[in-house]
Amino acid sequence: MKYEVDQLGFYGRYGGAFIPELLHKNIAELQEQYLQIMNSQNFKRQFNQLLCDYVGRPSPLYFAKRLSEKYQTKIYLKREDLNHTGSHKINNTIGQILLAKYLGKTRIIAETGAGQHGVATATVAALAGLECVVYMGEKDIKRQAPNVARMKMLGATVKPATSGSKTLKDATNEAIRDWINHPNDTYYIIGSVVGPHPYPDMVARFQSVISEEMMQQLAAQTGRDYPDRIIACIGGGSNAAGAYFHFLDNDKVELISVEAGGLGIDTGHSAATSVLGTDGVIHASLTKLMQDEDGQIIEPYSISAGLDYPGIGPLHAHLISKGRTKVLAANDDEAIKAGYELTRLEGIIPALESAHALAALPKIKFKPDEITVVNLSGRGDKDLATYLKFLNE
Ligand SMILES: *Cc1c(COP(=O)(O)O)cnc(C)c1O
């Protein structure tokens, strides 16, 4: 595979594991064991069983007829919105909780921004009967009350991060501090293709079930096991990595990543990391991130909480630098419009994150016979209040 991570955890010049000395043992344990465990027959059987009976996989590949007519081409939606808990995030947390059990861990920690990864983690911790602590910025706790309530109902302890800007990066720092203090019994579930090696590769592999199913479903529905184009939104980049995984080496498949332009890339209120970012270390890996001259992280902005992240996973930084993926930005207003368009044409309310992927459609020149798959990463129930503010505009 051309875009695989190397022994040290690098994709080209991006990636690695820039960790405090005190975490060395934990990370080394994971690096040495993750592939062996993930590739064992027992693990695969348990993982696939849970994906099937608990998550509800395979998620359908749906031919969106009215949307296709509008854009004069063939558009399919990969329905990750139909998964248990409403997005692709559960594919990864199911994988990591199983891994934690194989490693003999009894306590789970995670950090969350908008709360989506926190909910997916609290869900699988309940399923596995493990103690769960989720770190969340104090500001985010106030902004995301429904997800905080869900995590509490699921039995997780939500701990506020009260330092710095009181948002995601501060929650990440707290989670890493916790891990340092509990190196033996605790497993840290990271929610995207970010963090120190082996997390980006591990999360991409767990999410790769998306492209694996896509191949089979495309073969059955169209007679060819690859599309001409895949479109996915990117925050950290896990749903995109999963949707691209089995097609990375197939140059006939165009890969389009859509990042959040926010109010506009030049407005100072954006999360368009590929354009605004420079090389640096965030969350213990070398990648592209939004930072000032002193290396301080610039707070990102997007109407969509899941894309409001100041970096991108190292795999994506690499894919972009090699020209394998093309990045488009969708601004808040374009995403809202695309969310309404899908809802009115197909009766599917997409997550605001997924609406960014859909917002790429008007920016692309399609041929009538081309097959495009849009990865519909999540459902929009959580975003109704935001959508409704724009109802009569
Ligand atoms: C969290 C989230 C995202 C962004 O995360 P990625 O790691 O970039 O996939 C996208 N869509 C939904 C529905 C999410 O919850």
Side-chain angles (χ1 to χ4, degrees):
M1 292 209 0
K2 247 185 352 204
Y3 299 98
E4 216 165 12
V5 79
D6 71 16
Q7 277 291 322
L8 295 172
F10 283 89
Y11 301 91
R13 69 175 188 276
Y14 297 108
F18 298 83
I19 46 161
E21 186 59 36
L22 289 163
L23 284 179
H24 181 80
K25 205 171 136 254
N26 293 50
I27 292 289
E29 178 186 37
L30 260 187
Q31 289 175 349
E32 279 156 24
Q33 298 200 43
Y34 81 108
L35 285 177
Q36 203 188 332
I37 295 174
M38 285 174 71
N39 290 330
S40 74
Q41 288 308 318
N42 252 342
F43 184 94
K44 280 191 191 164
R45 193 174 38 77
Q46 287 178 311
F47 182 52
N48 290 334
Q49 184 102 50
L50 283 171
L51 288 183
C52 172
D53 301 336
Y54 187 74
V55 176
R57 303 203 73 91
S59 68
L61 182 73
Y62 167 68
F63 176 63
K65 184 160 172 283
R66 300 222 306 139
L67 192 67
S68 296
E69 277 165 8
K70 163 133 197 203
Y71 289 98
Q72 298 281 298
T73 188
K74 293 179 180 155
I75 301 172
Y76 289 78
L77 305 175
K78 183 59 174 156
R79 301 289 308 276
E80 295 300 298
D81 60 313
L82 294 177
N83 293 340
H84 178 47
T85 70
S87 82
H88 68 292
K89 285 200 170 72
I90 192 87
N91 303 327
N92 167 51
T93 55
I94 288 270
Q96 288 198 52
I97 199 93
L98 276 178
L99 192 75
K101 284 219 146 184
Y102 271 71
L103 292 170
K105 307 293 179 183
T106 54
R107 183 171 172 273
I108 298 299
I109 56 169
E111 90 277 333
T112 193
Q116 295 296 105
H117 173 56
V119 170
T121 301
T123 300
V124 297
L127 174 71
L130 298 182
E131 181 192 345
C132 179
V133 176
V134 179
Y135 289 93
M136 193 168 180
E138 201 172 37
K139 210 177 190 174
D140 291 331
I141 289 181
K142 290 200 186 105
R143 290 193 287 201
Q144 311 289 343
N147 277 340
V148 175
R150 280 185 194 107
M151 286 184 263
K152 287 187 175 160
M153 175 147 182
L154 287 159
T157 306
V158 180
K159 287 200 182 165
T162 54
S163 64
S165 55
K166 303 181 174 55
T167 58
L168 180 63
K169 72 175 162 49
D170 311 290
T172 304
N173 292 339
E174 291 294 331
I176 289 175
R177 205 166 296 148
D178 179 310
W179 208 19
I180 290 174
N181 289 328
H182 302 90
N184 295 325
D185 64 346
T186 297
Y187 183 90
Y188 180 17
I189 297 188
I190 292 182
S192 188
V193 286
V194 300
H197 177 63
Y199 282 98
D201 184 49
M202 180 166 70
V203 176
R205 285 169 187 268
F206 285 137
Q207 293 291 1
S208 72
V209 64
I210 298 173
S211 49
E212 194 181 315
E213 290 173 2
M214 233 191 252
M215 285 172 82
Q216 294 159 7
Q217 292 166 323
L218 283 167
Q221 294 183 42
T222 74
R224 201 183 69 184
D225 69 356
Y226 64 91
D228 295 293
R229 183 184 294 106
I230 301 171
I231 306 175
C233 65
I234 104 170
S238 67
N239 85 85
Y244 300 166
F245 197 87
H246 292 285
F247 302 109
L248 282 171
D249 287 343
N250 183 350
D251 290 331
K252 293 191 208 100
V253 185
E254 183 183 32
L255 305 175
I256 297 185
S257 306
V258 187
E259 57 187 7
L263 298 182
I265 291 179
D266 303 325
T267 61
H269 302 278
S270 176
T273 318
S274 83
V275 183
L276 301 171
T278 50
D279 290 4
V281 173
I282 182 171
H283 214 145
S285 84
L286 177 63
T287 187
K288 277 202 186 305
L289 67 136
M290 290 166 44
Q291 56 187 334
D292 65 18
E293 282 137 34
D294 300 325
Q296 295 297 308
I297 288 165
I298 297 172
E299 282 289 319
Y301 163 79
S302 164
I303 195 166
S304 140
L307 302 184
D308 190 350
Y309 182 71
I312 43 171
L315 166 65
H316 291 288
H318 181 57
L319 293 174
I320 295 166
S321 76
K322 292 289 169 200
R324 178 65 187 98
T325 53
K326 185 171 151 192
V327 184
L328 299 176
N331 293 346
D332 288 0
D333 55 344
E334 295 170 318
I336 293 282
K337 196 168 161 215
Y340 272 96
E341 180 176 88
L342 185 73
T343 305
R344 299 291 167 89
L345 286 176
E346 300 286 349
I348 299 170
I349 303 176
L352 268 171
E353 291 83 3
S354 320
H356 282 73
L358 293 161
L361 296 175
K363 302 172 195 265
I364 295 170
K365 262 198 151 29
F366 295 102
K367 295 194 185 115
D369 286 332
E370 271 177 356
I371 292 171
T372 296
V373 177
V374 179
N375 197 38
L376 207 69
S377 56
R379 66 176 88 119
D381 312 32
K382 67 186 178 60
D383 300 313
L384 279 187
T386 310
Y387 276 128
L388 285 176
K389 282 186 206 151
F390 298 85
L391 185 59
N392 293 315
E393 283 192 7

